[in-house]
């Protein structure tokens, strides 16, 4: 996510992000800006386990991941 689209403050406060049905093939490391993220919905994209950043586990509040 480009910083012009979403400020760091807004990214840090976002708790649910739904990016379903966007033909995504990978999840950018910029997802790590969303430090309050508890739910990430990525279903109906073109993702597999290798599509995610290795340090996704740094999102400590993330409890729901649909892909």
């Amino acid at each position: 996510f480009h910083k012009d689209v979403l400020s760091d403050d807004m990214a840090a406060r976002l708790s649910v992000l739904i990016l379903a049905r966007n033909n995504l093939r990978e999840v950018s490391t910029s997802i790590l800006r969303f430090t309050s993220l508890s739910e990430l919905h990525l279903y109906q994209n073109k993702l597999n386990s290798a599509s995610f950043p290795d340090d996704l586990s740094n999102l400590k509040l993330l409890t729901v991941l649909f892909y």
Side-chain angles (χ1 to χ4, degrees), residues 5-40:
V5 175
L6 193 62
S7 71
D8 286 335
D9 181 53
M10 289 175 68
R13 292 184 294 140
L14 192 70
S15 62
V16 177
L17 182 60
I18 300 172
L19 295 171
R21 300 182 204 115
N22 282 288
N23 291 318
L24 299 176
R25 295 181 185 277
E26 68 178 21
V27 178
S28 168
T29 57
S30 64
I31 196 75
L32 302 174
R33 292 176 52 216
F34 299 86
T35 55
S36 294
L37 202 61
S38 63
E39 293 185 26
L40 180 56

Side-chain angles (χ1 to χ4, degrees), residues 30-62:
S30 64
I31 196 75
L32 302 174
R33 292 176 52 216
F34 299 86
T35 55
S36 294
L37 202 61
S38 63
E39 293 185 26
L40 180 56
H41 299 258
L42 298 165
Y43 51 89
Q44 294 184 358
N45 282 294
K46 298 177 181 181
L47 301 169
N48 59 47
S49 59
S51 302
F52 295 88
D54 292 334
D55 42 5
L56 189 66
S57 63
N58 289 345
L59 296 176
K60 302 297 183 194
L61 300 178
L62 186 64

